[in-house]
Amino acid sequence: QVQLVESGGGSVQSGGSLRLSCAISGDTGRKYYIGWFRQTPGAPREGVAAIDLDGTTTYEQSVKGRFTISQANAKNTPHLQMDSMKPEETDMYYCAADTDTLAVVVGVRNPQGNVQYWGQGTQVTVSS
C-alpha cells in the first residue's frame, strides 16, 4: 500500500512549461513502476507516460518529444516535465504506481482497472 500526492499543477500559457511531482509514501520498501495519466471531465482517463525500473520510458505519441518522465527512487519523487504545452492538454493529471510495468497502458483509455495505486490528481490549465 502506497500513497501518491501530485503537485505542480496550475495555469500556464500555450507554449509554456509545467513540472509535476509525485510524492510517494507508505510501503516504499517495494519497487514501483510509475506512470502519468490525464483526464478531461466526461472523457476516459488516458496514459501519458510511464517509466520502468531500469529507466526505460514510454510516451503517448502526442506528447513525445515535449514531455519527460523521470524517476528519483532515493527521494520517492517522480516528475513529469511538460514543455510546449497546448490548450487541448488542459486536464486533470494523475500519478500512478504499480508493481508491474505501466508502459502497457500508455495511450490506453480507461486504464483504471489495470493500475494498482492512484494519486488524487492535480489540475493543469493551458490558456491560448
Side-chain angles (χ1 to χ4, degrees):
Q1 180 74 263
V2 295
Q3 295 79 47
L4 311 176
V5 179
E6 302 94 335
S7 62
S11 298
V12 66
Q13 293 183 344
S14 180
S17 299
L18 286 174
R19 183 175 176 86
L20 306 182
S21 299
C22 179
I24 303 174
S25 62
D27 186 14
T28 56
R30 284 179 173 268
K31 302 292 185 180
Y32 291 98
Y33 298 81
I34 302 298
W36 287 91
F37 301 78
R38 61 188 180 189
Q39 185 173 24
T40 300
R45 190 172 299 183
E46 299 181 342
V48 175
I51 187 166
D52 286 353
L53 300 182
D54 65 357
T56 301
T57 57
T58 306
Y59 295 96
E60 194 275 323
Q61 188 64 34
S62 70
V63 309
K64 190 174 182 179
R66 298 186 296 113
F67 289 13
T68 304
I69 186 172
S70 62
Q71 171 70 286
N73 289 330
K75 298 181 179 180
N76 289 323
T77 310
H79 294 94
L80 182 68
Q81 177 70 38
M82 305 185 292
D83 297 325
S84 301
M85 297 200 70
K86 304 174 181 180
E88 57 264 38
E89 293 169 336
T90 293
D91 288 310
M92 186 75 77
Y93 284 73
Y94 298 87
C95 180
D98 202 290
T99 52
D100 292 319
T101 181
L102 290 174
V104 297
V105 293
V106 171
V108 174
R109 297 184 179 185
N110 293 321
Q112 290 92 327
N114 297 313
V115 178
Q116 290 182 316
Y117 304 107
W118 293 97
Q120 81 289 345
T122 185
Q123 180 66 46
V124 170
T125 301
V126 185
S127 62
S128 60

